[in-house]
């Protein structure tokens, strides 16, 4: 039997991709923020009780990392308090909750990929609120899968890919930090990997998804690693080779030519961001591969794929 699926965050980068793929798995109910605000526990309870989903996928979050520094209470409400209510309701319904978290739960002091068993120690408010969300879900007693990912981009929304493309139409020279290392992950690949995990589970459990056996935290990011400077250079290389008239690219550049000729490395300190970010936040997907047999492509291949796709 196809499960009823409640998806939050359908207007976001990941949520939009999930909203495209999930109908293959079940009946999707996808309230937007005006219909389900994660800061409003009563509405969450009402929507959950009306929809009675077997699967709840929370792709909504307060993702503005810099803004979280001065708006932590709001970020906490969206990233931890709302997800806690979702989890408690999921437990009552016997539903599985799928939630997404971040590489920014780590402090970046390692120089080899982070495993799920490594201790989190967030450096910024966003990371603290996302870690609080993970802990609230673990403590709720609900069956859950928490997928930690990193550096999401898509052809919609606010992200590094679209920022670089816009800046490249305005400036001949871009200075980009080269001392933060992570894995740029396309929302499309992340949604594909998520649905692959769920598809396998639905088949194995005949739709009885909620089970203590599947509960856990898994890292789910593109393979490989890059710093932001390398990512920016790769974006401009792909843009130079992209098919003429690629609709999302035309919209990202507002139809203007790319004039950036040089990308230069700079340091986080010279760049002067007010928010601390980990210097190294590469995630090891070994547990995901072992547990579900699901792999994600290398970040460079994902980026190339993004520039080959005409759909937004
Ligand atoms: N972006 C990254 O680089 C990154 C990295 C690691 C992990 N993650 C995690 O991955 C997940 C997906 O991130 P994303 O980049 O796809 O997010 P996104 O593009 O910023 O989208 C966020 C979504 O959450 C919704 N939302 C925000 N506040 C809400 C509220 N109070 N109630 C209900 N919905 C609300 C937004 O709705 P509106 O459109 O109405 O604002 C939007 O649909 C999140 O859990 C995020 O923390 C992201």
């Amino acid at each position: 039997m196809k499960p009823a699926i409640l998806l939050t965050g359908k207007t976001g980068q990941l949520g939009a991709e999930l909203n495209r793929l999930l109908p293959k798995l079940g009946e999707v109910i996808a309230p937007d923020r005006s219909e389900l605000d994660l800061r409003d526990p009563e509405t969450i309870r009402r929507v959950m009780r009306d929809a009675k989903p077997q699967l709840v996928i929370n792709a909504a979050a307060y993702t503005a990392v810099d803004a979280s520094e001065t708006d932590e209470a709001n970020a906490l409400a969206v990233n931890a308090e709302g997800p806690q209510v979702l989890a408690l309701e999921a437990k009552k319904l016997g539903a599985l909750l799928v939630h997404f978290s971040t590489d920014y739960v780590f402090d970046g002091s390692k120089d080899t990929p982070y495993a799920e068993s490594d201790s989190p120690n967030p450096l910024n408010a966003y990371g603290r609120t996302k870690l609080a969300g993970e802990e609230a879900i673990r403590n709720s007693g609900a069956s859950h899968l928490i997928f930690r990912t990193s550096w999401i981009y898509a052809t919609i929304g606010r992200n590094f890919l679209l920022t670089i493309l816009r800046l490249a139409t305005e400036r001949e020279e871009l200075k980009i930090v080269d001392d933060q290392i992570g894995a740029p992950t396309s929302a499309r690949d992340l949604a594909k990997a998520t649905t692959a995990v769920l598809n396998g589970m639905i088949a194995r459990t005949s739709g009885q998804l909620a089970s203590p056996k599947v509960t856990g935290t898994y890292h789910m990011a593109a393979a490989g690693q890059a710093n932001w400077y390398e990512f920016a250079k790769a974006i401009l290389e792909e843009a130079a080779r992209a098919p003429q008239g690629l609709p999302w690219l035309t919209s990202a550049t507002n139809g203007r030519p790319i004039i950036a000729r040089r990308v230069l490395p700079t340091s986080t300190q010279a760049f002067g961001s007010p928010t601390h970010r980990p210097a190294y936040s590469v995630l090891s997907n070994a547990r995901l591969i072992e547990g579900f047999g699901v792999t994600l492509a290398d970040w460079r291949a994902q980026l190339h794929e993004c520039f080959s796709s005409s759909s937004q």
Side-chain angles (χ1 to χ4, degrees):
M1 204 190 73
K2 282 190 155 193
I5 304 172
L6 181 83
L7 170 69
T8 66
K10 72 164 171 201
T11 53
Q13 306 186 77
L14 172 61
E17 295 294 340
L18 285 169
N19 201 26
R20 218 195 294 257
L21 296 179
L22 287 172
K24 287 184 199 142
L25 302 192
E27 294 295 323
V28 181
I29 305 151
D32 63 18
R33 188 209 286 237
S34 71
E35 296 158 317
L36 190 159
D37 190 322
L38 281 176
R39 293 166 305 178
D40 179 353
E42 269 320 303
T43 305
I44 301 174
R45 290 188 193 105
R46 182 178 47 74
V47 170
M48 286 284 283
R49 287 170 195 183
D50 288 350
K52 297 187 185 55
Q54 280 100 47
L55 180 57
V56 181
I57 305 185
N58 180 31
Y62 187 118
T63 56
V65 177
D66 290 332
S68 301
E69 293 297 307
T70 52
D71 194 19
E72 192 165 349
N74 232 336
L76 190 73
V78 181
N79 290 343
E81 292 162 12
Q84 179 179 40
V85 181
L86 274 180
L88 292 171
E89 288 301 312
K91 179 165 190 252
K92 283 185 197 150
L93 291 169
L96 171 69
L97 173 64
V98 176
H99 177 82
F100 295 89
S101 189
T102 172
D103 55 333
Y104 283 8
V105 298
F106 294 116
D107 64 14
S109 54
K110 279 186 78 177
D111 57 7
T112 55
Y114 278 93
E116 294 79 355
S117 53
D118 286 319
S119 297
N121 180 31
L123 298 179
N124 55 40
Y126 169 72
R128 282 194 293 277
T129 64
K130 292 295 292 183
L131 180 60
E134 291 186 6
E135 286 165 351
I137 290 168
R138 287 189 200 108
N139 292 335
S140 70
S143 284
H144 64 266
L145 292 172
I146 296 172
F147 294 130
R148 287 196 191 124
T149 189
S150 63
W151 298 22
I152 299 181
Y153 64 91
T155 57
I156 60 156
R158 292 165 64 89
N159 58 61
F160 188 78
L161 166 71
L162 297 180
T163 301
I164 290 296
L165 290 171
R166 178 178 51 77
L167 289 177
T169 67
E170 297 167 358
R171 304 181 192 169
E172 288 193 354
E173 185 175 285
L174 305 183
K175 285 191 177 159
I176 310 292
V177 300
D178 70 349
D179 53 4
Q180 291 172 35
I181 299 169
T185 302
S186 99
R188 185 156 294 183
D189 271 46
L190 192 55
K192 275 191 203 158
T194 303
T195 40
V197 168
L198 294 173
N199 202 20
M201 283 178 60
I202 290 168
R204 275 197 307 277
T205 61
S206 314
Q208 296 301 306
L209 285 164
S211 148
K213 274 191 260 169
V214 296
T215 282
T217 300
Y218 295 83
H219 291 172
M220 184 186 268
Q225 64 176 53
N227 60 49
W228 291 110
Y229 160 73
E230 289 167 332
F231 186 24
K233 279 207 313 184
I235 290 168
L236 295 186
E237 279 166 27
E238 290 292 342
R241 288 203 298 253
Q244 284 286 318
L246 195 59
W248 73 263
L249 183 55
T250 307
S251 128
T253 53
N254 235 335
R256 290 175 303 191
I258 287 181
I259 59 165
R261 296 288 162 260
R262 284 178 303 282
V263 184
L264 302 175
T266 186
S267 68
T268 300
Q269 200 183 12
F271 189 76
S273 164
T275 312
H276 293 295
R277 287 176 168 78
Y280 180 92
S281 61
V282 179
L283 303 173
S284 163
N285 285 2
R287 187 164 188 235
L288 180 82
I289 298 168
E290 200 183 303
F292 298 107
V294 169
T295 54
L296 284 84
D298 184 83
W299 72 271
R300 197 64 175 80
Q302 291 191 6
L303 184 66
H304 182 67
E305 181 64 31
C306 177
F307 277 89
S308 314
S309 162
S310 59
S311 65
Q312 287 256 323

